[in-house]
Amino acid sequence: MTSRKGACALSRIALPAVIVNFKAYTEVDGPSAISMAEACAAVAEETGVSIAVCPPIAELGSVARSVDVPVLSQHVEPRKPGSATGWVTPSMVKASGAVGSLVNHSEHRMILSDIREAVSMCRKSGLVSVVCTDSAPSSGAAAFFRPDFVAVEPPELIGGDISVTTASPEIVSDTVDIVRSVDKDVKVLCGAGVKTGEDVRTAIELGASGVLLASGVVKHKDPRAALLDLVSGI
Ligand code: G3P
């Protein structure tokens, strides 16, 4: 396999990785997004575990300027700079100091051609792309676009208390197999209901390179304690 242009971008997120998506929870509105990112950065520093954060887009630049951990946008569109009012372009994500973006999150679906183009534009901009999918077959399809990561998250488990690694471990292992058969350079993450170190350990045993999670940290009464438990699985 020849090396790809985005490989240097991927090297900015060490593996295995814990990616914390802040979503649009009120707990991370305004400056609270920085406090949450600082808690993640402190745990990363203390434990040596790779933790990346996805703050709300309105706080992307302020978070990226405040912490040393990799920062990703929650969304990006395949738009060029210029006449694109209200759209999130790869160019502005890059300029904010973020190192990459989620693409096609279950809560912000995109059409196939836009996913492909967003991944391609991220690669050209040196941004890491994390394409979210809902099943093993759709993960295989996404792998053809050569993102850095595919993150499989069954929508019905998102925000719940049962981890994908417990409810549907075969979705994770099947995704790993399918994605590997398409492009072995594409890394697999899993998410939905991931809340404990045991969930993270199982994800890695199933072949994932890490997890993408939200409520287990952002909605926890003690995000730092939640993170310390999560990273104990690595
Ligand atoms: O992007 C991560 C996400 O959709 C999973 O959410 O709350 O189940 O960890 P949660």
Side-chain angles (χ1 to χ4, degrees), residues 19 21 23 25 102 105-107 132 153 157-160 191-195 212-216:
I19 303 183
N21 178 4
K23 299 200 174 180
Y25 289 121
L102 304 183
H105 192 279
S106 180
E107 293 150 11
C132 300
E153 303 191 320
L157 297 174
I158 290 179
V194 171
K195 289 195 163 52
L212 173 62
L213 73 133
S215 54

Side-chain angles (χ1 to χ4, degrees), residues 78 103-104 108-118 145:
V103 177
N104 189 49
H108 204 148
R109 285 287 186 218
M110 297 164 75
I111 61 170
L112 206 58
S113 56
D114 281 353
I115 298 171
R116 184 190 60 220
E117 191 53 23
F145 300 151

Side-chain angles (χ1 to χ4, degrees), residues 11-61:
S11 68
R12 301 182 71 176
I13 300 182
L15 301 177
V18 172
I19 303 183
V20 184
N21 178 4
F22 294 3
K23 299 200 174 180
Y25 289 121
T26 52
E27 284 83 349
V28 290
D29 275 350
S32 304
I34 295 179
S35 315
M36 187 65 71
E38 285 171 345
C40 295
V43 172
E45 169 80 21
E46 232 172 281
T47 63
V49 172
S50 170
I51 300 177
V53 298
C54 310
I57 289 171
E59 305 301 332
L60 198 56

Side-chain angles (χ1 to χ4, degrees), residues 93-221:
V93 170
K94 178 87 177 172
S96 75
V99 303
S101 183
L102 304 183
V103 177
N104 189 49
H105 192 279
S106 180
E107 293 150 11
H108 204 148
R109 285 287 186 218
M110 297 164 75
I111 61 170
L112 206 58
S113 56
D114 281 353
I115 298 171
R116 184 190 60 220
E117 191 53 23
V119 169
S120 166
M121 289 181 75
C122 281
R123 189 181 312 119
K124 285 177 191 148
S125 305
L127 291 169
V128 172
S129 54
V130 182
V131 176
C132 300
T133 55
D134 60 2
S135 65
S138 63
S139 301
F144 277 101
F145 300 151
R146 299 169 56 232
D148 296 292
F149 293 94
V150 166
V152 65
E153 303 191 320
E156 67 280 10
L157 297 174
I158 290 179
D161 286 326
I162 302 174
S163 168
V164 60
T165 53
T166 304
S168 305
E170 69 290 348
I171 291 185
V172 181
S173 50
D174 288 354
T175 295
V176 169
D177 289 345
I178 292 176
V179 167
R180 228 172 244 161
S181 72
V182 173
D183 188 333
K184 66 176 175 44
D185 286 341
V186 177
K187 307 298 176 200
V188 171
L189 305 173
C190 66
V194 171
K195 289 195 163 52
T196 67
E198 189 52 39
D199 299 337
V200 175
R201 186 172 303 113
T202 308
I204 289 165
E205 282 167 7
L206 291 167
S209 295
V211 295
L212 173 62
L213 73 133
S215 54
V217 170
V218 180
K219 299 290 287 178
H220 198 281
K221 60 178 186 327

